[in-house]
């Protein structure tokens, strides 16, 4: 058994796990619930274990176990994508819309029969204050699917 490949696999798995956890907390902490965050943490751990087994399997002869963990990881990622599709769609659309359409706080928007000033640009929605001084939450996907008019502040 080659000890260096096992150590290298362990170090790589820990580094990937830490980077995945940092990325998830940095980008999705506001958009996901605690249960979804725990699910993503488990998936990151499962991915790290499969990476460790991928690096260490030639030295330790654990090919079958690696394929089992990899299959479980792929199935779990599919379930995660199906379960959080709407959140991911809103989040990624928000990244796209705020950059491409150049929306800013203070802009005046008119969408269908609703109009008002943008008071906040959140991760998954825009907060607009209408003339009645009520806050309206508009998902970013609505801005992509319906025509709207924007006046720069």
């Amino acid at each position: 058994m080659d000890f260096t490949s096992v150590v290298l696999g362990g170090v790589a798995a820990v580094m990937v796990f830490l980077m995945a956890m940092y990325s998830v907390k940095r980008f999705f902490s506001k958009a996901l619930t605690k249960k979804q965050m725990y699910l993503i943490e488990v998936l990151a751990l499962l991915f790290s274990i499969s990476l460790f087994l991928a690096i260490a399997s030639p030295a330790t002869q654990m090919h079958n176990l690696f394929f089992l963990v990899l299959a479980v990881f792929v199935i779990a990622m599919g379930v995660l994508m199906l379960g959080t599709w709407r959140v991911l769609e809103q989040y990624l659309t928000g990244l796209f819309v705020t950059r491409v359409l150049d929306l800013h706080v203070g802009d005046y928007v008119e969408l269908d029969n609703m109009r008002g000033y943008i008071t906040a640009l959140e991760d998954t929605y825009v907060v607009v204050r209408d003339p009645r001084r009520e806050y309206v939450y508009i998902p970013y996907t609505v801005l992509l699917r319906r025509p709207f008019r924007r006046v720069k502040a």
Side-chain angles (χ1 to χ4, degrees):
M1 177 185 325
D2 187 14
F3 185 69
T4 57
S5 66
V6 174
V7 171
L8 178 66
V11 169
V14 168
M15 292 300 293
V16 166
F17 178 73
L18 292 176
M19 287 190 310
M21 293 313 307
Y22 173 76
S23 300
V24 165
K25 287 179 182 175
R26 170 103 165 89
F27 296 114
F28 295 108
S29 63
K30 293 180 182 178
L32 298 176
T33 64
K34 288 235 184 245
K35 289 182 181 181
Q36 291 170 334
M37 289 293 289
Y38 291 141
L39 179 61
I40 290 176
E41 289 174 2
V42 168
L43 289 175
L45 180 65
L46 189 59
F47 177 72
S48 298
I49 291 171
S50 67
L51 180 66
F52 168 73
L53 292 175
I55 294 171
S57 65
T60 58
Q61 303 299 319
M62 293 191 303
H63 299 292
N64 294 335
L65 185 59
F66 166 69
F67 290 128
L68 175 67
V69 171
L70 182 63
V72 170
F73 175 73
V74 168
I75 291 169
M77 284 303 293
V79 169
L80 176 73
M81 290 298 290
L82 288 175
T84 60
W85 178 251
R86 295 288 180 199
V87 173
L88 289 173
E89 179 185 25
Q90 294 294 336
Y91 183 78
L92 295 175
T93 305
L95 291 175
F96 174 76
V97 166
T98 56
R99 306 287 188 295
V100 172
L101 299 179
D102 196 32
L103 293 175
H104 297 287
V105 173
D107 289 350
Y108 185 79
V109 293
E110 295 177 359
L111 175 73
D112 294 337
N113 59 354
M114 196 279 313
R115 63 185 61 168
Y117 289 96
I118 296 176
T119 58
L121 296 169
E122 297 295 332
D123 290 333
T124 57
Y125 54 87
V126 176
V127 181
V128 175
R129 190 170 195 170
D130 67 1
R132 294 177 297 189
R133 309 215 92 356
E134 295 175 347
Y135 291 104
V136 180
Y137 298 87
I138 304 172
Y140 284 116
T141 52
V142 172
L143 294 177
L144 278 182
R145 293 184 180 140
R146 295 186 190 153
F148 70 96
R149 189 174 141 213
R150 175 185 54 115
V151 178
K152 290 291 260 185

